[in-house]
Amino acid sequence: MISAKKGDWVQVENIVLPAGHRAPQVPEDTQKCDLKMWVKGEALQDAKEDEELEVKTTTGRIVKGRLVEVNSRYVHDYGEFQPELLKIEHQLKEILFGGEK
Amino acid sequence: MAKDMSYEALNARKNEIMKAAMQISYEDFELAGIGFNYEKMMDEVGYSIEEMRKMQLENAVGNTPLLEMRNLTALARKYAPAGKGARILVKDEACNASGSFKARRAAIAVQQAKKLGYKGVIAATSGNYGAAVAAQAAMNGLKCIVVQECYDNDKIGQPEILEKQRICEAYGAEVVQLTVGPELFTTFLGLLEETGYFNASLYTPFGIAGVETLGYELAEQCRQRYGKDPDVVVCTNAGGGNLTGTARGLIKADATKTQVVGASIDLKGLHMASNGDFNKKSCTTGHTGFAIPFVTWPDRSDCPRNAARTLRYMDRYVIVKQGEVFYITQALAVLEGYERGPAGNTSLTAAFVLAQEMNEDEIIIVQETEYTGAGKHTMPQLTFAKQNGVDVLFGDPDNEIPGKTLVFPEDPGMIKAREYDLSKAKKSYIHNCVKNYDMATASEEDINYIMDEIKESREFVLAELKGAGITI
Ligand SMILES: Cc1ncc(COP(=O)(O)O)c(C=O)c1O
């Protein structure tokens, strides 16, 4: 259970369009989903997870939303080692430089 | 009185919002029938090559190196008939501030915003353009908002897009993230109205003219070093600005004999607005899901008229597979010592094959690279593909099924550049004209416009129009 103090850097979530009210050209599987939006900013009030609060973004906009994260982590990385890439490396070197030791 | 910010109300105010956010009088370029005066729009709104080079150089953009791929050329020659195997050169656009050719577009758009006195800029993009606009805004003291289609319904994001979020935030931009869906455009309109910022669209005349310097520079560099123009230039194609701008730059440099080839990754079968398909893509740009709709109907962008119009410039269009692009990305790293992002290597993959058809003394230029980093790299993208149930295997890339398999070629000799029938694309463009403008008749002006739009003969255009029941 996370919570934010006023002044913390937080991420809030909003529903822009609820499921069933999506644009007509949207395919069926997406029609079943809400259109959600996330914005980060400085918390203007204390809040607990899922509670609504206002944030001030870096451009100075005030946005209201449900608290979902505090000091969000960047979760992307270099992934797991992919042996396929090693196989490609060996193959390429063999084709171009094969025989040379 | 507070404005109605509902979805419907915002869309109804689209034209006035756009006008306030760009100050381009698109109506000045409209012709009586279906067309508009493209060259007039580019002349009046754009800048000269010299002006743009100056603006870009002052903002850490341009003069990127043209590199010779000696080992990739040698590899291509192993598979080419005797006497074949053109020299492969790559323009290392990753050297631009923010790491891609998109900086050329952003540099001009941000200078325009500054000149017009806007306090900030907004761009709708999940790609490199976000980083480009954010960096240029930072350099020029403007605020910046980037609107991204980022997550599926479970808040799982493509590693490549998550990296774009990070880099935009690193440059001080606000990133507004959304789940999958074309309604992003309405959120974007709402933000333009709320902030009064400039629409730094990818598709304005500035955005496209900014890429002209790329074509111009590479012609100059090639002449200086090899004493001749490039025989072929390959461009990774998605929304069309990369190819359009480069081709226009080549023409401005008088490199009129150079063949311009578009290349995209095959993502057939994956729906771009589908929540389920969203994270099944292993490449988030340069693919057919984006490219084919834009090729056959450019005026689907966030501008009234799109300045990126590929059928005016493309001499040939080829399709490659995800597994092939990842393979060549690895080859670039281990044979040339350049670690560059996968999507920008779409054109390199095509060039590897096209070089094999060309003579040894000819030159083929891949006009860009993009930066690589956490998330934006073959390793995390393959990790993500496997997590999303995509089978990664070796075999014949022709058997790759986007979203289900990613097939590395068993041998580099199996990499192909599959011909996309341009006359089919041109016919489809004409049918889109008929449908979208509800055409019943075609005037002389309409016919000439279509001929320019698709670089085709009068006979070609008339035959297709008549076939669609249009009175001439
Ligand atoms: C690195 C890179 N190459 C090529 C493209 C394609 O450019 P365009 O959308 O102008 O066709 C993009 C963007 O979509 C890109 O980020």
Side-chain angles (χ1 to χ4, degrees):
Chain A
M1 182 80 167
I2 57 157
S3 63
K5 287 254 169 291
K6 187 177 173 203
D8 283 350
W9 190 249
V10 303
Q11 185 183 50
V12 294
E13 180 181 310
N14 257 316
I15 292 176
V16 182
L17 289 173
H21 293 82
R22 303 290 306 258
Q25 72 269 33
V26 165
E28 220 174 297
D29 66 337
T30 312
Q31 290 287 355
K32 295 194 186 109
C33 307
D34 298 332
L35 177 65
K36 296 183 228 177
M37 177 173 79
W38 293 269
V39 174
K40 289 179 189 171
E42 192 185 315
L44 297 182
Q45 299 97 32
D46 293 356
K48 292 204 183 66
E49 190 164 351
D50 279 336
E51 274 180 3
E52 191 156 276
L53 79 160
E54 283 178 320
V55 301
K56 188 175 174 195
T57 70
T58 76
T59 64
R61 294 192 312 123
I62 308 291
V63 180
K64 223 189 246 177
R66 221 162 44 77
L67 178 71
V68 288
E69 284 177 22
V70 180
N71 293 332
S72 307
R73 184 186 176 86
Y74 292 110
V75 296
H76 62 293
D77 57 16
Y78 280 93
E80 284 148 26
F81 184 79
Q82 300 295 313
E84 291 87 348
L85 295 176
L86 190 62
K87 179 170 161 181
I88 293 169
E89 176 182 342
H90 290 159
Q91 180 182 46
L92 286 166
K93 287 178 175 168
E94 176 62 31
I95 295 169
L96 259 194
F97 313 117
E100 296 168 29
K101 284 281 170 326
Chain B
M1 202 188 83
K3 278 198 168 160
D4 180 357
M5 297 301 281
S6 71
Y7 186 78
E8 294 74 20
L10 274 170
N11 280 332
R13 292 200 295 277
K14 173 180 154 184
N15 288 343
E16 59 182 277
I17 294 173
M18 282 297 174
K19 184 121 200 202
M22 287 192 282
Q23 298 180 33
I24 300 174
S25 301
Y26 280 98
E27 62 280 6
D28 292 355
F29 311 116
E30 287 300 310
L31 302 173
I34 64 165
F36 76 110
N37 192 331
Y38 176 57
E39 287 303 336
K40 185 170 170 221
M41 176 177 93
M42 294 305 284
D43 283 350
E44 287 186 11
V45 183
Y47 293 92
S48 72
I49 290 277
E50 288 68 31
E51 285 170 318
M52 289 190 296
R53 288 181 104 172
K54 185 163 174 290
M55 287 156 107
Q56 290 174 338
L57 281 176
E58 283 168 358
N59 290 284
V61 176
N63 272 355
T64 56
L66 185 64
L67 310 168
E68 188 165 332
M69 301 286 111
R70 285 189 296 270
N71 287 327
L72 279 178
T73 302
L75 185 69
R77 286 178 181 165
K78 291 236 174 215
Y79 293 94
K84 299 276 179 189
R87 207 192 288 260
I88 303 170
L89 307 181
V90 170
K91 192 144 167 68
D92 199 16
E93 286 291 288
C95 295
N96 288 310
S98 82
S100 78
F101 87 97
K102 293 275 166 86
R104 294 182 187 264
R105 301 164 86 158
I108 307 301
V110 168
Q111 288 309 308
Q112 182 70 10
K114 200 167 146 181
K115 188 173 112 184
L116 295 174
Y118 288 88
K119 293 209 160 43
V121 290
I122 304 190
T125 164
S126 316
N128 290 309
Y129 189 57
V133 174
Q136 290 297 317
M139 275 179 228
N140 288 281
L142 296 189
K143 292 186 174 182
C144 177
I145 301 178
V146 175
V147 190
Q148 280 194 333
E149 182 184 57
C150 183
Y151 291 117
D152 70 4
N153 193 46
D154 299 323
K155 208 183 176 189
I156 306 290
Q158 280 275 347
E160 234 186 329
I161 302 181
L162 297 181
E163 163 56 17
K164 303 304 172 33
Q165 170 199 15
R166 185 207 61 82
I167 198 170
C168 289
E169 291 179 351
Y171 293 136
E174 172 183 337
V175 182
V176 173
Q177 299 179 299
L178 293 160
T179 48
V180 186
E183 302 99 326
L184 177 146
F185 182 66
T186 309
T187 301
F188 170 71
L189 284 177
L191 286 164
L192 285 173
E193 194 177 61
E194 177 188 340
T195 58
Y197 291 173
F198 181 75
N199 174 14
S201 158
L202 276 160
Y203 304 103
T204 59
F206 335 111
I208 304 311
V211 189
E212 290 175 5
T213 56
L214 172 44
Y216 197 89
E217 258 178 43
L218 72 80
E220 272 187 351
Q221 287 170 309
C222 187
R223 283 172 189 156
Q224 207 169 41
R225 187 123 36 101
Y226 301 96
K228 61 177 200 149
D229 288 349
D231 298 282
V232 173
V233 172
V234 198
C235 309
T236 299
N237 186 45
N242 189 32
L243 187 141
T244 302
T246 300
R248 290 177 60 85
L250 284 167
I251 293 168
K252 289 190 178 178
D254 273 326
T256 48
K257 295 227 168 58
T258 301
Q259 208 193 15
V260 176
V261 180
S264 298
I265 302 173
D266 185 8
L267 281 196
K268 199 159 65 223
L270 293 180
H271 195 300
M272 291 307 123
S274 156
N275 180 66
D277 288 352
F278 186 63
N279 283 332
K280 301 255 179 206
K281 295 176 276 189
S282 299
C283 293
T284 60
T285 190
H287 59 69
T288 53
F290 209 54
I292 302 297
F294 269 91
V295 167
T296 55
W297 194 248
D299 290 320
R300 57 175 69 246
S301 81
D302 53 1
C303 293
R305 285 291 190 177
N306 184 352
R309 311 188 82 83
T310 49
L311 287 179
R312 286 179 176 250
Y313 299 101
M314 198 156 24
D315 295 308
R316 191 174 168 188
Y317 193 18
V318 296
I319 306 297
V320 294
K321 301 279 186 171
Q322 294 180 107
E324 295 171 333
V325 174
F326 281 71
Y327 189 101
I328 288 291
T329 299
Q330 176 68 345
L332 180 65
V334 299
L335 295 182
E336 300 287 352
Y338 288 104
E339 202 179 24
R340 298 290 183 266
N345 297 327
T346 306
S347 48
L348 179 61
T349 307
F352 174 72
V353 181
L354 299 177
Q356 297 168 37
E357 303 169 356
M358 297 167 61
N359 293 331
E360 245 173 22
D361 59 357
E362 290 186 304
I363 291 176
I364 183 163
I365 298 188
V366 172
Q367 50 75 277
E368 60 144 341
T369 57
E370 60 169 346
Y371 85 100
T372 193
K376 205 167 132 57
H377 185 278
T378 42
M379 224 48 106
Q381 287 178 254
L382 288 170
T383 304
F384 189 73
K386 289 176 182 174
Q387 280 166 357
N388 282 281
V390 174
D391 278 331
V392 176
L393 37 109
F394 283 85
D396 182 350
D398 267 331
N399 297 329
E400 181 176 284
I401 304 169
K404 293 204 164 59
T405 56
L406 187 145
V407 183
F408 287 122
E410 202 79 65
D411 181 274
M414 294 169 87
I415 300 175
K416 282 195 197 136
R418 297 155 194 83
E419 217 63 47
Y420 189 90
D421 182 358
L422 268 186
S423 65
K424 190 177 113 191
K426 291 172 177 183
K427 286 176 184 170
S428 159
Y429 171 86
I430 295 175
H431 286 273
N432 281 329
C433 285
V434 170
K435 189 175 83 198
N436 296 334
Y437 288 107
D438 226 345
M439 287 174 82
T441 61
S443 67
E444 203 51 38
E445 204 172 34
D446 292 335
I447 295 163
N448 287 328
Y449 172 72
I450 297 176
M451 285 165 61
D452 287 343
E453 279 279 277
I454 61 175
K455 213 161 59 160
E456 267 300 342
S457 68
R458 191 179 171 80
E459 292 67 45
F460 183 99
V461 174
L462 285 183
E464 217 43 42
L465 283 174
K466 282 181 187 152
I470 303 298
T471 316
I472 307 298

